[in-house]
Amino acid sequence: MAIPVDENPAGLPRLGELDAMIQESMAPDSDGDFIPDDIERDVLGTDPDDRDSDHDGLPDNFEIFGDGIFDPGAFVPDADRDGEIAPLDKDDDGDF
């Protein structure tokens, strides 16, 4: 069952709040994906030692913020609305 677009199934902060958390973090970024380790581990659940947590060829940061122009009120992307955020979903477009 798909989750409605206006719901935040992962319970994560919206992109504007997440971006502020990233900017304020003093933690290292072990994998070089521009998301500090503490945010990856404690907020997103992504792998702080792997810049592409779901191994789909797209870095975690890109799967969340795209090209850097984003709606601060938007949720962390989950294109197929299955409750698994894009950087953790090997098939976020639901095509297989």
Side-chain angles (χ1 to χ4, degrees):
M1 180 171 123
I3 297 168
V5 175
D6 61 343
E7 290 184 23
N8 185 2
L12 297 173
R14 293 180 186 257
L15 292 182
E17 184 182 352
L18 180 61
D19 183 51
M21 293 168 71
I22 289 169
Q23 300 304 318
E24 293 170 5
S25 175
M26 300 300 288
D29 177 16
S30 297
D31 59 9
D33 66 356
F34 304 103
I35 305 173
D37 294 355
D38 61 338
I39 304 297
E40 289 210 62
R41 183 182 52 251
D42 302 334
V43 178
L44 297 171
T46 53
D47 186 343
D49 295 314
D50 189 342
R51 67 186 315 252
D52 182 10
S53 293
D54 61 2
H55 303 114
D56 64 354
L58 299 171
D60 296 342
N61 186 294
F62 182 80
E63 291 196 80
I64 295 171
F65 295 107
D67 61 6
I69 300 171
F70 60 89
D71 174 358
F75 298 119
V76 173
D78 174 14
D80 60 5
R81 309 303 304 155
D82 65 354
E84 189 169 29
I85 62 172
L88 293 173
D89 193 344
K90 294 179 194 309
D91 182 34
D92 196 41
D93 62 3
D95 66 350
F96 64 90

